[in-house]
Amino acid sequence: MDWDEFFNRPVWEYELELRPSELKLGHFVRRMNIPWQETDFPLQGVLVDSLDLKRWFQQNCSWVIVDLDRSPNKFRPARLRTLPATDASGINSYAIQVLRRSPINQTTLNRAIDQYQRLDRQADRLIEQIERTGQMDVPGAIKTVDNVADALEDNLAALVWLTRIKQKDRYTAQHCINVAIVCMGLAVGLQWSRDDIRDVGLAGLLHDLGKVKVDAKILKKSGRLSTAEFDEVKKHSRYGFEMLLEDGLVSRNVAEAVLCHHEQPDGQGYPQGLVGTEIPPLARLIAVVDAYDAITSHRSYDPARSHHLALGILWKQRGTQFDQPTVESLIRFMGWITPGTLVCLNTGMLAVVLESPYEQGLKPLVALLSREGDRWRLGKKLDLDSEEARQATEPVHIKDVLPDGYQGIDIRQIGDQIVAASRHSE
């Protein structure tokens, strides 16, 4: 990858993005361009303490992120001593971190649950009306998405937390809700206009509803689809597009995003085989978020993967199956440890990530989880960047990132416990 064409990740006073040739002994590497799980390095990062390790980064990476706070060597190249507000692609490095600045607490979760439930009811109404009449309740969808967009930034992390809710028997509805929320959040991070944020949220909510017209037996098939069955599934984007055209209440941008959300930059997508920038911007964004949520969900033919594995899959397919700048923007927006992620600590305890401030890197605020019968209970909060975590016999850190729903952990129930605890203390 050419460095000058690659947009920088956020650079703060304690963090540097370096060319591998600039890496020094004593630098602590926290991230790099290749998926971390494909290496043998510990999740919290690695100290460059040998020439062999330095050469490994130079031979395998096109960029690395160095944490100066954890680096014995504080060397900073001259070109990074004055930091730009935006990167080479025009993305504001502060704005794209909006998710990591959004708190998860009793207040934001309470509001987010209300907004999520509205989206949930609206998705059910949309599906029911399509099944009954062949048409969509577009006015209701527009109103619901507008309400979420109005309060999105204040409750963003809590809403993203709720997208970790995964139920096999409600896949289509929940998938559309999750895509709408993450698309709007990413659009906020990219500083899109209010109208575009609303449009991409609406398109995200509606993008897969054409599947209601596809034979349910095909959609629920656990084995490999035949060519004829896959051809039938591929019709769903056009079914949705045609319903929106008949309705006439949404913008052309929304309708085209629904039609084109399976197009690919390499021209191998459908239904039109569009290439590169021929694909509408809203569709490019929906395609990436659609794939992310699908990969992290339980489907009839594929088990849920972890947040890390999903980002790794998207990274490998950037520029071919998915728009490269959008993949890179989603990774920057979500972060390697995102709110609602289930993790296993080196102590063996399971935990859920509550907040992941950018300055703490891979040391977020988590809540420990314990099983009581067939339910999981929320326990003590632990800041992995705190003195308490660092001064343990073995510093507490994240050992592994787990898929949503691991061992039956229900993120919605955990969120309800946070809200209930707040009401009890009032």
Side-chain angles (χ1 to χ4, degrees):
M1 182 186 304
D2 185 85
W3 178 267
D4 293 329
E5 295 177 356
F6 181 78
F7 59 78
N8 294 324
R9 273 144 183 79
V11 181
W12 299 73
E13 183 178 350
Y14 53 84
E15 187 170 88
L16 302 174
E17 178 169 321
L18 301 181
R19 306 179 180 98
S21 61
E22 296 170 327
L23 199 58
K24 304 294 183 183
L25 294 180
H27 274 155
F28 187 92
V29 176
R30 193 159 72 183
R31 297 209 312 277
M32 54 189 161
N33 65 290
I34 63 175
W36 199 265
Q37 67 269 20
E38 293 185 1
T39 75
D40 295 326
F41 301 138
L43 190 60
Q44 66 267 28
V46 61
L47 178 65
V48 181
D49 58 2
S50 71
L51 291 175
D52 285 343
L53 187 54
K54 178 181 175 181
R55 278 193 291 269
W56 185 93
F57 283 108
Q58 292 172 341
Q59 292 168 2
N60 292 279
C61 300
S62 57
W63 55 262
V64 296
I65 300 291
V66 167
D67 185 341
L68 284 187
D69 188 48
R70 293 177 172 86
S71 296
N73 188 337
K74 307 297 183 183
F75 172 79
R76 179 195 296 266
R79 67 181 181 82
L80 293 180
R81 291 169 192 163
T82 302
L83 304 178
T86 59
D87 56 37
S89 67
I91 294 175
N92 185 292
S93 295
Y94 179 79
I96 199 68
Q97 302 300 320
V98 61
L99 180 60
R100 258 73 64 81
R101 295 193 303 274
S102 177
I104 290 183
N105 52 42
Q106 294 89 343
T107 301
T108 60
L109 264 176
N110 221 350
R111 291 196 297 248
I113 288 171
D114 178 64
Q115 292 166 340
Y116 189 95
Q117 287 174 337
R118 291 184 188 183
L119 284 168
D120 199 25
R121 290 191 294 269
Q122 184 59 54
D124 285 342
R125 283 195 294 268
L126 286 163
I127 291 172
E128 188 274 334
Q129 187 177 39
I130 294 170
E131 291 176 334
R132 183 168 48 84
T133 69
Q135 297 178 324
M136 292 185 185
D137 174 22
V138 174
I142 293 173
K143 182 178 179 180
T144 301
V145 170
D146 267 335
N147 289 336
V148 174
D150 285 339
L152 183 67
E153 195 162 350
D154 290 338
N155 308 312
L156 181 56
L159 276 165
V160 171
W161 163 292
L162 295 177
T163 67
R164 319 312 299 193
I165 298 171
K166 312 288 185 180
Q167 296 170 291
K168 282 185 179 181
D169 58 345
R170 300 202 66 244
Y171 174 74
T172 297
Q174 288 185 342
H175 174 65
C176 289
I177 294 166
N178 297 344
V179 170
I181 290 171
V182 177
C183 279
M184 285 192 286
L186 179 53
V188 169
L190 292 171
Q191 297 185 298
W192 284 15
S193 70
R194 174 63 172 73
D195 286 345
D196 286 341
I197 293 170
R198 190 276 306 271
D199 280 355
V200 80
L202 183 59
L205 184 64
L206 304 177
H207 81 284
D208 256 1
L209 294 182
K211 286 184 177 178
V212 177
K213 292 191 172 186
V214 176
D215 187 342
K217 292 181 181 178
I218 297 177
L219 296 177
K220 294 179 181 179
K221 183 176 178 180
S222 58
R224 187 179 181 86
L225 297 181
S226 68
T227 300
E229 289 170 333
F230 186 50
D231 286 343
E232 181 62 26
V233 171
K234 288 195 292 186
K235 294 178 182 177
H236 77 276
S237 58
R238 191 168 290 281
Y239 288 153
F241 176 69
E242 289 170 351
M243 284 189 284
L244 291 176
L245 288 186
E246 289 172 8
D247 186 279
L249 292 178
V250 301
S251 70
R252 184 78 183 186
N253 284 344
V254 171
E256 288 183 346
V258 170
L259 176 67
C260 299
H261 73 276
H262 281 293
E263 299 287 358
Q264 298 179 188
D266 62 4
Q268 299 302 305
Y270 62 86
Q272 301 174 87
L274 301 180
V275 177
T277 55
E278 293 176 356
I279 304 170
L282 268 65
R284 288 179 239 159
L285 192 148
I286 290 172
V288 172
V289 177
D290 173 37
Y292 170 81
D293 186 73
I295 294 166
T296 56
S297 298
H298 300 279
R299 294 174 285 175
S300 59
Y301 55 88
D302 208 9
R305 324 281 182 86
S306 72
H307 169 71
H308 277 187
L309 284 176
L311 295 186
I313 291 169
L314 292 174
W315 179 265
K316 289 179 181 178
Q317 297 299 323
R318 72 197 190 286
T320 54
Q321 186 173 349
F322 305 108
D323 179 63
Q324 178 171 332
T326 306
V327 169
E328 293 168 345
S329 295
L330 179 70
I331 292 172
R332 293 172 64 175
F333 169 73
M334 296 292 280
W336 287 109
I337 305 290
T338 194
T341 303
L342 298 174
V343 297
C344 179
L345 305 179
N346 61 317
T347 60
M349 291 289 292
L350 301 186
V352 60
V353 175
L354 297 179
E355 296 179 19
S356 183
Y358 187 78
E359 63 271 15
Q360 292 186 204
L362 298 177
K363 294 182 176 291
L365 173 68
V366 303
L368 302 180
L369 299 172
S370 61
R371 189 194 289 272
E372 293 183 4
D374 60 352
R375 290 175 61 87
W376 286 86
R377 305 295 300 176
L378 189 71
K380 173 184 175 182
K381 293 181 182 179
L382 179 62
D383 185 345
L384 299 185
D385 199 43
S386 66
E387 287 297 318
E388 178 185 1
R390 288 197 293 265
Q391 291 181 357
T393 304
E394 181 182 357
V396 182
H397 61 266
I398 294 172
K399 180 181 178 182
D400 199 9
V401 177
L402 307 172
D404 296 332
Y406 181 79
Q407 293 193 11
I409 298 172
D410 187 331
I411 288 297
R412 175 63 178 274
Q413 288 182 0
I414 299 301
D416 287 343
Q417 290 176 41
I418 294 175
V419 173
S422 172
R423 290 172 179 163
H424 181 72
S425 63
E426 290 175 353

